[in-house]
Amino acid sequence: MAVNDNAAATSRHGHFPDPDPDDAIAVVGVACRYPQAPTPAAFWELLRSGRHTVTKVPADRWDADALYDPDPAAPGRLHVRHGSFLDGLDLFDPAFFRISPREAAFMDPQQRLVLELGWEVLEDAGVVPATLRGSRLGVFVGSIWDDYAHLVYRDAVHAATQHTLTGVHRSILANRLSYFLGVHGPSMTVDTGQSSSLVAVHLACESLRRGEADAAVAAGVNVSLLCDTSVISAKWGGMSPDGRSYTFDARANGYVRGEGAAAVLLKPLAAALAAGDDVICVIRGSAVNTGAGSSLTTPSVRAQEDLLRAAYRRARVTPEQVQYVELHGPGTPLGDPIEAAALGAVLGTPRGDAPPLVVGSVKTNIGHLEGAAGITGFVKAALALRHGEIPASLNYAAPNPHIPLEQLRLTVQQDTGPWPGDAEQRIAGVSSFGMGGANCHVVLAEAPRLDKQGIPAPDASADGESATRLPAIPWIVTGRTPEALREQAAKLSAFGVDVMRPADVAWSLATSRTHFEHRAVVTATEPGELGAGLEALAAGMPAPSVVRGVVGEGALGVVFTGQGTQRVGMGLGLCGAFPVFAEAFAA
């Protein structure tokens, strides 16, 4: 059956319906922090190369061997010794966020991650955070565990201070970012179980559509500090004893716990296009519902079917127009067949002559991030749409005997490859289901096929010429401390100056980055000089092309002494290179 009769009719005549301008939401920024993948670029490389991040539990978390017992029912013991864990959770720069070291010591590491990713997602979108102060930016964060709070509770009677409550309360995950940015849109921490962060995306979209917010950060975060929460999860019965998630595979025996966080910046599509934003992908629609099966934690086929129909009706997308779905896909013997049955009923069997629906799960790469699982799948799907590729879903060899893939018209992505088919528009879905039946599905589409300014790309020959001989171009590098300044220079140098367009980089550094107290300007006429200047700045060494300084009190003054030329032709080079200077000179 068609999800929407009107949409189906337009599809049969070869026309892909445009997104409803009142509903379409643009994703204009992405930031993430995963094991072995601290940036979206690193995360994408991890996915497309088919790697996983599951390891034995680190010794600084708990002694996995001492706690291990292969019997899942053994009291006080764990039958699992693996997970996917972040490094450096103890590292944080409180001064950057105007937080005292004493207060920072009481902050849940999840709060720290949300602050860091909130800053990074704005930078990814080219937004200077200070420009948002007083604006209606919304913040929506999904999270379900509070391990750090339980660590604090153990000694709270003797050690609690005025910072303890705000340091451990989950509401502050969102509120602290809103406070730091000085914004006044909705700010909330969402807990719907494992679907929390995708529900946060849905709520952010609804807030934008209702006009409560002009832009929104949607995020999710999950850390595993205590063996206690792993013991609780293991006794529930859903965890894999061999440290692998076998999504849709015959070996499916549970999920692996994972750590990480991600954030996306959302804006109404019309506003994003009008502002010339770099649109990563478009949210065409989403839906949430609740429904459990035979028990509180058993999924419901009917509820998932209703959810999918509602999401695709809202998005005005028919089954045959969907090419890929990022599964909830934890790799459990019960949950996977139920999810497959619902997908097959709504998006698989009604596909007509269209190829089977491709499915996969990021949980096979980095584990189940629980409260942050939904936004992790969302980021994977967004990057896949952006790059026109679908990464492999790992650990798949033979289908679960309770999942008739051919009959359901589903197929698991076994190798990284190009986006399937020759679709008029790439469309993907993302599912996330909470253990108590709180379900969410989001429908994504590729960005409008324009460059980020909505104008034709520059002529290649002109770009090549500018790469070899440039007018003097300044690259502004700043940091809160001298060490941060050098580190920023090192990061910029690591991107590879020769493959960047220097004028574009100069523009971005000048207009879309916060300018901190410690500053430097690297000037050059050739890419090689820019690279050498960055290397010198990163090493703290002097260089002719580098000027350093620290912002002090008072205003900047510029004096033109009027003493005439010091050499013949002085200023003619600037006139030839910069029309604005030439016009002022002529005037």
Side-chain angles (χ1 to χ4, degrees):
M1 87 179 45
V3 174
N4 182 296
D5 291 339
N6 292 332
T10 56
S11 175
R12 282 195 295 271
H13 288 85
H15 171 63
F16 197 100
D18 294 328
D20 186 335
D22 294 329
D23 275 354
I25 303 295
V27 180
V28 297
V30 177
C32 65
R33 189 88 82 254
Y34 297 119
Q36 303 177 31
T39 65
F43 183 48
W44 177 247
E45 181 56 32
L46 183 146
L47 293 174
R48 70 183 308 275
S49 62
R51 293 185 286 122
H52 71 82
T53 61
V54 177
T55 64
K56 189 176 177 181
V57 177
D60 62 357
R61 300 303 175 91
W62 61 84
D63 189 336
D65 292 329
L67 202 61
Y68 178 74
D69 191 304
D71 180 7
R77 291 287 186 264
L78 261 173
H79 70 294
V80 296
R81 289 185 284 191
H82 296 83
S84 182
F85 297 90
L86 288 168
D87 292 327
L89 278 179
D90 57 326
L91 302 179
F92 181 63
D93 184 359
F96 184 92
F97 296 100
R98 301 190 294 273
I99 296 171
S100 71
R102 180 174 297 179
E103 182 176 4
F106 285 91
M107 286 172 57
D108 187 331
Q110 294 182 126
Q111 291 187 23
R112 304 173 186 177
L113 285 168
V114 171
L115 279 175
E116 291 171 347
L117 292 179
W119 183 278
E120 291 174 14
V121 77
L122 294 174
E123 281 203 332
D124 186 65
V127 176
V128 177
T131 64
L132 295 174
R133 188 161 297 276
S135 73
R136 297 190 308 159
L137 176 79
V139 178
F140 302 80
V141 180
S143 177
I144 66 174
W145 292 107
D146 47 10
D147 288 22
Y148 190 76
H150 285 280
L151 283 170
V152 172
Y153 295 158
R154 293 175 181 178
D155 197 33
V157 171
H158 303 289
T161 73
Q162 71 270 33
H163 301 304
T164 304
L165 181 62
T166 54
V168 300
H169 207 286
R170 256 192 289 162
S171 65
I172 305 299
L173 288 173
N175 298 162
R176 194 182 285 275
L177 178 60
S178 297
Y179 171 77
F180 170 69
L181 295 173
V183 297
H184 304 305
S187 183
M188 64 187 74
T189 301
V190 180
D191 184 353
T192 57
Q194 289 78 359
S195 59
S196 297
S197 58
L198 199 62
V199 172
V201 172
H202 169 81
L203 293 175
C205 292
E206 292 301 297
S207 183
L208 292 170
R209 291 176 181 125
R210 289 194 300 268
E212 292 177 340
D214 299 321
V217 172
V221 61
N222 194 63
V223 299
S224 304
L225 303 179
L226 296 176
C227 64
D228 308 51
T229 49
S230 285
V231 170
I232 291 169
S233 300
K235 298 307 180 189
W236 177 55
M239 293 178 65
S240 169
D242 56 4
R244 295 290 182 272
S245 292
Y246 299 104
T247 301
F248 279 27
D249 189 85
R251 297 166 292 172
N253 60 0
Y255 65 89
V256 183
R257 298 193 73 196
E259 287 186 334
V264 293
L265 182 63
L266 309 177
K267 292 175 67 174
L269 177 59
L273 294 176
D277 291 330
D278 184 9
V279 178
I280 297 166
C281 67
V282 174
I283 300 172
R284 289 190 60 127
S286 60
V288 296
N289 75 356
T290 305
S294 58
S295 72
L296 172 66
T297 59
T298 301
S300 164
V301 175
R302 175 63 181 273
Q304 291 184 20
E305 288 181 12
D306 290 346
L307 174 80
L308 293 168
R309 290 192 175 97
Y312 288 95
R313 186 181 303 115
R314 178 75 177 269
R316 301 199 302 161
V317 169
T318 57
E320 69 273 14
Q321 291 169 335
V322 186
Q323 300 99 26
Y324 176 71
V325 167
E326 175 63 23
L327 302 165
H328 178 67
T332 57
L334 180 62
D336 283 6
I338 290 174
E339 182 173 9
L343 272 176
V346 178
L347 297 179
T349 55
R351 298 179 69 77
D353 296 332
L357 176 68
V358 180
V359 299
S361 174
V362 72
K363 293 177 178 65
T364 62
N365 300 94
I366 61 173
H368 189 343
L369 269 69
E370 300 168 323
I375 200 165
T376 298
F378 181 96
V379 169
K380 174 189 170 182
L383 295 176
L385 286 165
R386 174 82 156 187
H387 293 281
E389 284 186 301
I390 300 179
S393 192
L394 307 183
N395 309 325
Y396 180 81
N400 186 318
H402 301 292
I403 302 178
L405 289 174
E406 290 188 13
Q407 180 181 333
L408 297 173
R409 302 291 313 284
L410 307 175
T411 183
V412 177
Q413 182 81 4
Q414 298 184 56
D415 299 293
T416 298
W419 199 268
D422 187 21
E424 185 177 342
Q425 187 179 44
R426 296 194 285 266
I427 298 285
V430 183
S431 289
S432 193
F433 309 135
M435 65 178 177
N439 305 318
C440 184
H441 189 85
V442 177
V443 183
L444 299 177
E446 66 175 308
R449 297 185 181 182
L450 300 169
D451 79 344
K452 63 183 178 182
Q453 282 82 29
I455 58 177
D459 179 72
S461 61
D463 184 51
E465 181 179 349
S466 67
T468 57
R469 188 67 185 175
L470 308 167
I473 288 182
W475 279 13
I476 302 170
V477 186
T478 74
R480 280 257 165 95
T481 64
E483 295 78 13
L485 176 66
R486 292 196 295 270
E487 185 174 345
Q488 288 297 318
K491 287 182 177 179
L492 192 56
S493 177
F495 281 115
V497 174
D498 293 336
V499 299
M500 294 189 281
R501 294 169 62 179
D504 287 351
V505 175
W507 172 268
S508 295
L509 291 173
T511 64
S512 66
R513 291 294 182 268
T514 299
H515 297 156
F516 296 114
E517 300 87 338
H518 292 266
R519 303 180 181 182
V521 177
V522 180
T523 59
T525 59
E526 296 182 358
E529 294 175 353
L530 287 168
L534 287 174
E535 291 175 4
L537 180 58
M541 301 296 292
S545 62
V546 179
V547 178
R548 297 175 178 85
V550 181
V551 175
E553 298 294 331
L556 175 67
V558 179
V559 177
F560 293 89
T561 62
Q563 292 184 359
T565 58
Q566 277 71 51
R567 57 182 173 80
V568 176
M570 183 175 176
L572 290 180
L574 289 173
C575 285
F578 298 102
V580 173
F581 181 89
E583 291 173 8
F585 189 83

